[in-house]
Amino acid sequence: MARLRASQSREQREAACETTRLAMQNRRANNRGQQIDNLQRRTRYLSSADLNRAAFQYDCSNDYSLHPSVCIGQMDVVCEYCGALQFSGETPGLCCLNGKVKLPLLTPPPEPLYSLLCGETQESRHFVANTQKYNGCFQMTSFGADIIEERGFNPTFKIQGQIHHRIGSLLPFEDTQNNFLQIYFMGNMEEQLDRRLEINAGMKQAILQDLECLLHEHHALVRLFKIALERMPSDAKTISI
């Protein structure tokens, strides 16, 4: 090949390169056309395929998201009666029975919760992105699960029997830390805040402190717990509710 190229003139070499380039371009175009044709065939198949028990015959080359039973579009249809957002395939008026069901407007939550939920500040955006974690900081009961398996990013709970929530004793037992409802019975709000931050890493202290004050001011159960603590004998360690 080297001797052949050396014997060719400049025009011959350029013509040979152009021929090779056109051949590669045609080959790529044919491959692209075949890929598009295969995709169209798979799309036509999926649009009419029966997905019943399809998981037992799963084909990774098929894009199941193209099936009309799976691709339901965006929730961008607005109900003319109540303003609820619906998918295009939903029955019109299903949300409010064509205006027959009228729900009262929700009462805005007290501050600072309202600003955290509806504000545009950095604190608000952080809170909205972590509402589940902040909710867990103030949970009063245990889920009753003792075995947790870490598999990647998703912890797995193994629970036997009926699911229930345990309240437990109002005060911790000897050589144990305050958890769940017991945190509400600690000496002062500063100790409660420190304990919540110790259990829940990554939460912002200022937000936790504001939510803690909110619960102590507006939550009926928290106020009831404070009354129970004042009436509790100092040597009672196993009182349960």
Side-chain angles (χ1 to χ4, degrees):
M1 291 297 295
R3 288 195 300 269
L4 177 61
R5 292 193 185 100
S7 64
Q8 291 177 338
S9 64
R10 178 180 178 183
E11 290 76 9
Q12 290 176 329
R13 289 195 297 269
E14 291 179 353
C17 291
E18 181 66 16
T19 302
T20 304
R21 187 186 67 81
L22 292 176
M24 290 293 297
Q25 184 177 355
N26 291 333
R27 190 179 300 113
R28 290 171 181 170
N30 292 334
N31 292 337
R32 178 60 178 170
Q34 185 177 3
Q35 292 175 357
I36 294 176
D37 185 57
N38 293 337
L39 178 61
Q40 290 175 346
R41 284 201 299 269
R42 287 199 300 268
T43 303
R44 287 193 297 270
Y45 163 75
L46 285 173
S47 63
S48 59
D50 184 10
L51 295 185
N52 184 31
R53 300 179 65 82
F56 297 98
Q57 300 175 351
Y58 180 77
D59 185 357
C60 62
S61 63
N62 291 330
D63 188 357
Y64 292 92
S65 64
L66 301 176
H67 195 281
S69 298
V70 178
C71 184
I72 59 178
Q74 298 293 326
M75 186 181 282
D76 53 6
V77 179
V78 182
C79 175
E80 60 178 310
Y81 299 100
C82 66
L85 295 178
Q86 298 176 323
F87 294 101
S88 59
E90 286 190 74
T91 303
L94 181 64
C95 50
C96 61
L97 292 179
N98 294 323
K100 295 179 181 179
V101 177
K102 298 183 182 297
L103 299 178
L105 296 177
L106 294 176
T107 303
E111 292 290 349
L113 183 58
Y114 180 81
S115 297
L116 289 173
L117 290 172
C118 304
E120 297 294 336
T121 63
Q122 183 178 357
E123 295 287 324
S124 175
R125 288 191 290 269
H126 166 78
F127 177 77
V128 171
N130 298 275
T131 50
Q132 185 176 3
K133 295 181 180 180
Y134 278 102
N135 182 67
C137 294
F138 297 94
Q139 58 187 349
M140 299 181 181
T141 60
S142 168
F143 196 59
D146 297 327
I147 302 176
I148 302 177
E149 292 186 358
E150 295 288 346
R151 295 182 179 180
F153 296 99
N154 299 318
T156 302
F157 292 85
K158 286 187 176 181
I159 303 173
Q160 293 182 345
Q162 185 177 2
I163 295 177
H164 59 279
H165 290 78
R166 296 176 179 174
I167 294 180
S169 63
L170 300 184
L171 296 178
F173 296 102
E174 188 176 358
D175 297 329
T176 60
Q177 294 281 352
N178 295 68
N179 290 294
F180 303 107
L181 183 63
Q182 298 169 353
I183 298 179
Y184 291 88
F185 289 85
M186 297 182 70
N188 52 60
M189 295 180 62
E190 288 75 16
E191 294 181 0
Q192 297 180 26
L193 179 62
D194 292 340
R195 180 57 182 157
R196 296 187 202 280
L197 289 171
E198 181 182 353
I199 298 175
N200 305 276
M203 301 294 96
K204 292 191 175 183
Q205 181 175 351
I207 295 180
L208 279 181
Q209 187 173 11
D210 291 341
L211 294 176
E212 194 172 74
C213 294
L214 173 68
L215 289 176
H216 280 267
E217 181 179 355
H218 296 279
H219 201 292
L221 282 179
V222 174
R223 294 200 300 267
L224 180 62
F225 294 155
K226 293 172 66 176
I227 296 176
L229 179 62
E230 295 173 356
R231 298 178 179 179
M232 184 182 298
S234 59
D235 58 345
K237 300 296 183 181
T238 59
I239 297 178
S240 300
I241 60 174

